[in-house]
Amino acid sequence: MLNPTNDRLDYGEILTPPDSFHLDFAVGTTYSLDLDALVGVSLALGLSEGTDSVLINNPVFLLEALRRTGDKVAVFCEGGQIHLPNKVTSLFILLEKMVFSITLPKRNDIATYPSFHPKFWLIRYVNETKEHIYRVVVLSRNLTFDRSWDISYYMDGRIRENISDKNKPLRDFLYFLTTQTSADENGKNKTKEIRALIRELTYVHFEPSEKEFYDYEFIPSGIKKSSGGYHRFDETELFNGTFHEILIMSPFLSSGIIRNFNIRNTNSQIQGSRYMLITREMSLISLKPEDASNFRIYTMKDSIIDGESAISEENTEFKRQDIHAKLFMRRKYSDSNLYLGSLNASHNAVHGNVEFMLRLDAKNRYLNMDKLTASLFGNDEQNNPFQEVSLQNDIIDNNNDDEANDLHAIIKEINRGKPSALVKADEDFFTVSLSFKSCDTRNIEIQLRPLLSKKTELFAENVLFTNLQLLELSEFYVISVSDHIKTIERIIIIPTNGLPENRENTVISNIVNDQNNFYCYIAFLLGDDSILSTLEGGMAERDVHRKTGKALYRTPALYEKMLQTAANNPEKFKGIERLIEAISENGIIPEEFKKMYNKFKKVVKLDV
């Protein structure tokens, strides 16, 4: 079940609606976020296209994917952990309504700020008969393009008449997310949708599809229980019970957590327990030999870490890969439990962060250390991606990144100061004033700029950007923190008052900026299949004028398609209506189309 060669899951395929269903609403969580990856997710959720689809290079189809998902997707991430994309486009304005950043308050029992760290999706799909399918996805993977090895699992569920108590932890987790949305209209709408999911989950029953697993449990950590107290992972049997076998796969470690497993059975009657740890080589620096004396320890081979490296076109640097999966397998007698999700075997993860894990229950004949390692290690040593290592007292840490951690801490400190922004119109331009709480920068240079602008200002309690154009306005800001040796760039979200309401329409007008793109968009909106529509929009519906070389669309063919849509799926006319409203002022809509469309609009009695 965990063979790296045969059992790979594609992120986009996991999220893509089942046949005959489409996205109704989705909630996702991630620690770090890449905006380009979120665009890819929008393709999967909105257009049922893979995240690597060729459509990602076509702005018309990207625009429609983002328009379809903007009001139907809420993604929560750790504040200050949005990565700067390689190419910035005004389409990112349409992502603003999807993304909410979370900043957790400082706690006395951990040295750093706790992190919002879960990787999770809950998706509601719907078909034409209003039947719903609910999909819950638990991952170790962030919503980025990181190449490391991760793990994921998903289950589908449907509403039944009887109540499901198994979803109480899931409902508590969603309720926590409703406390983290913004106070504006978009935030209120997303909160309303999430609360609807909470109510519906009372009657949703999820079922593992594999014969190996006979039961499951959702395990959030670091959030309040509806019944009182907190969900705490350190109170689970995994961290308190004895065992015959324990396998831990975690990229990051704390000595206390591993030591707890190592000595757990010392005073018990259980003899001959087996221990295995799979981690990153760099994480072994945190362990002493006595912390893991019972464990066989494995790390990924250098040939695997470097062997699938890709060269970035932007900077020609190698992108390495390593273990990023978080997995715990515990067996006691004939019962085995597989825990997977976001939790590292580290102190902050277990005792401080907000995390989300899924426990899958199986019998020993289906799940044990031998079966699991056989899947992970393969049939022969030559193809085994892992190597056994031993702990040494004199391990030298060659990956010391204290400086980078200090820079990250400054971004977290600034983000937790609750910055705000105000936009004011200044004739044909705009002025944006930013307000921050004072921060000890410790001789660190900090710069800020709007994501969609090249104008840069130094960090201060009050920062002013002047003479910005409409499409330079955004709630996304790039913050650059440098100690003159290392530099870290991240995107932070700054709640902004006074943003013009016509920004989205301007984005649409900039992309649908000629009749060719307009007809391409219309053909796509009317088509049943996105690839077919791509061909129709690019080829089948047009001729080329002999003198001008411009594309001319054959009105009879378009009329026939609209006639079929009016009869079989009149709801699609709502998309056309929204497009026309958005670009009505740029003068590209042909008069012949307006006349034809108005006739159909009356026939289908369009109510938007």
Side-chain angles (χ1 to χ4, degrees), residues 22 63-72 97 504-506 508-509 512 518 521-522 525 570-586 589 593 597 601 606-608:
H22 60 268
L63 173 60
E64 179 59 15
L66 297 178
R67 293 185 71 199
R68 289 188 186 185
T69 54
D71 293 327
K72 296 181 178 182
K97 63 171 63 176
E504 288 193 13
N505 285 351
T506 304
I508 297 170
S509 293
V512 188
F518 172 75
Y521 206 151
I522 293 297
L525 291 174
E571 286 289 312
K572 290 189 175 182
F573 279 86
K574 290 185 178 181
I576 298 176
E577 180 70 12
R578 287 191 292 266
L579 173 64
I580 289 174
E581 288 179 354
I583 65 172
S584 59
E585 297 182 2
N586 67 3
I589 304 175
F593 178 85
Y597 173 71
K601 186 175 177 181
L606 190 62
D607 181 16
V608 293

Side-chain angles (χ1 to χ4, degrees), residues 485-504:
I485 298 175
K486 289 189 175 182
T487 299
I488 292 177
E489 285 189 322
R490 291 291 185 268
I491 295 174
I492 60 175
I493 299 174
I494 302 181
T496 304
N497 291 322
L499 284 170
E501 295 182 357
N502 62 333
R503 281 190 311 145
E504 288 193 13

Side-chain angles (χ1 to χ4, degrees), residues 126-188:
V126 65
N127 63 10
E128 292 182 1
T129 61
K130 304 302 180 184
E131 179 186 6
H132 291 99
I133 291 178
Y134 298 79
R135 178 168 296 174
V136 62
V137 186
V138 181
L139 316 96
S140 65
R141 184 175 184 80
N142 288 304
L143 191 45
T144 67
F145 293 110
D146 186 84
R147 293 176 55 80
S148 296
W149 288 28
D150 277 290
I151 188 168
S152 62
Y153 186 84
Y154 70 91
M155 295 185 290
D156 287 347
R158 296 176 184 265
I159 289 179
R160 298 179 184 171
E161 292 184 359
N162 56 314
I163 291 175
S164 174
D165 291 333
K166 300 185 76 64
N167 292 338
K168 284 184 177 180
L170 183 53
R171 294 167 62 199
D172 290 345
F173 181 67
L174 292 180
Y175 179 78
F176 167 78
L177 296 181
T178 65
T179 68
Q180 305 297 317
T181 54
S182 55
D184 57 12
E185 183 178 358
N186 173 62
K188 292 177 180 177

Side-chain angles (χ1 to χ4, degrees), residues 319-524:
K319 294 181 178 179
R320 293 159 60 88
Q321 61 179 358
D322 208 330
I323 282 292
H324 192 255
K326 290 88 170 165
L327 179 149
F328 301 79
M329 193 285 294
R330 172 185 177 270
R331 182 186 69 80
K332 187 172 183 180
Y333 299 113
S334 63
D335 293 313
S336 299
N337 312 114
L338 186 67
Y339 298 81
L340 59 92
S342 65
L343 189 91
N344 285 295
S346 68
H347 181 84
N348 285 6
V350 176
H351 299 291
N353 294 347
V354 171
E355 306 275 359
F356 197 97
M357 297 286 283
L358 173 67
R359 191 197 74 213
L360 295 166
D361 298 331
K363 289 299 182 180
N364 175 45
R365 63 181 179 272
Y366 291 124
L367 178 65
N368 55 52
M369 185 177 292
D370 289 334
K371 288 183 176 294
L372 200 56
T373 53
S375 293
L376 290 169
F377 294 171
N379 297 323
D380 57 80
E381 183 57 34
Q382 183 176 355
N383 294 319
N384 185 355
F386 301 98
Q387 60 188 354
E388 188 169 6
V389 298
S390 58
L391 285 177
Q392 305 294 329
N393 283 313
D394 58 348
I395 294 177
I396 299 175
D397 184 6
N398 293 319
N399 294 279
N400 193 317
D401 205 19
D402 290 340
E403 296 89 350
N405 289 334
D406 287 343
L407 299 182
H408 281 296
I410 291 174
I411 294 177
K412 288 192 173 188
E413 187 76 27
I414 292 173
N415 214 37
R416 280 162 173 75
K418 304 297 182 184
S420 61
L422 177 64
V423 175
K424 290 185 178 180
D426 185 11
E427 294 183 355
D428 294 332
F429 295 93
F430 297 88
T431 297
V432 181
S433 54
L434 307 179
S435 298
F436 297 90
K437 286 187 178 179
S438 59
C439 177
D440 180 12
T441 59
R442 298 185 285 274
N443 297 318
I444 300 296
E445 182 179 284
I446 305 174
Q447 295 183 338
L448 291 161
R449 66 175 175 86
L451 176 62
L452 303 175
S453 174
K454 295 182 179 180
K455 294 185 177 181
T456 302
E457 298 289 345
L458 291 175
F459 173 80
E461 289 188 37
N462 296 291
V463 178
L464 194 67
F465 289 97
T466 60
N467 295 324
L468 294 178
Q469 297 181 9
L470 180 62
L471 292 185
E472 292 181 300
L473 301 177
S474 173
E475 290 193 315
F476 293 138
Y477 286 83
V478 179
I479 182 169
S480 174
V481 182
S482 175
D483 61 1
H484 306 290
I485 298 175
K486 289 189 175 182
T487 299
I488 292 177
E489 285 189 322
R490 291 291 185 268
I491 295 174
I492 60 175
I493 299 174
I494 302 181
T496 304
N497 291 322
L499 284 170
E501 295 182 357
N502 62 333
R503 281 190 311 145
E504 288 193 13
N505 285 351
T506 304
V507 173
I508 297 170
S509 293
N510 272 12
I511 293 174
V512 188
N513 55 7
D514 58 32
Q515 290 188 8
N516 182 51
N517 279 341
F518 172 75
Y519 276 118
C520 184
Y521 206 151
I522 293 297
F524 176 68

Side-chain angles (χ1 to χ4, degrees), residues 31 77-82 101-103 411-412 415-416 492:
Y31 172 71
C77 68
E78 167 76 5
Q81 282 298 327
I82 303 177
S101 64
I102 294 180
T103 52
I411 294 177
K412 288 192 173 188
N415 214 37
R416 280 162 173 75
I492 60 175

